[in-house]
Amino acid sequence: MKNSLFALPLALAAIAVAAAPAAAQGRNCAPRDAVVKRLAEKFGESRQSIGMGQQGVVMETFASADTGSWTITVTTPNGMTCLVASGQSYEVLAEALPNTDTDA
């Protein structure tokens, strides 16, 4: 069951990239090194996935295999990392693409 929520971070990536400039203005942001350290020390989370967004924004998913906690962050080119979403029951998926063959 630890392999079933990989799609969630990818689905939220578009939201995360769009929210990055606004989130950078808020309280849920700090230098990337500080955020990564806190996620590791407080939640036991390590980076599980990464993706590039528009204008050099980087989306990352951190998660703990032990507790199932997860956090999605967005880092702007200036090095500020913002928390976008977090939760429980993180699982990794490796689903095949659905059959899109139109031959009936």
Side-chain angles (χ1 to χ4, degrees):
M1 185 152 194
K2 288 191 177 185
N3 295 331
S4 69
L5 292 179
F6 182 69
L8 178 61
L10 297 178
L12 292 174
I15 296 169
V17 170
Q25 306 290 323
R27 307 169 256 198
N28 295 326
C29 301
R32 185 180 182 283
D33 292 343
V35 172
V36 171
K37 182 178 179 181
R38 181 159 175 89
L39 291 174
E41 291 176 350
K42 186 168 183 181
F43 302 102
E45 296 179 3
S46 63
R47 186 168 61 181
Q48 304 296 310
S49 64
I50 187 170
M52 286 292 290
Q54 296 178 359
Q55 301 174 350
V57 173
V58 177
M59 183 279 308
E60 296 171 289
T61 304
F62 294 82
S64 169
D66 294 333
T67 67
S69 70
W70 57 267
T71 305
I72 297 174
T73 65
V74 173
T75 302
T76 60
N78 69 1
M80 290 300 287
T81 296
C82 301
L83 302 180
V84 175
S86 62
Q88 295 295 318
S89 303
Y90 181 84
E91 299 180 21
V92 177
L93 286 180
E95 292 183 351
L97 290 173
N99 184 358
T100 58
D101 188 6
T102 57
D103 293 342

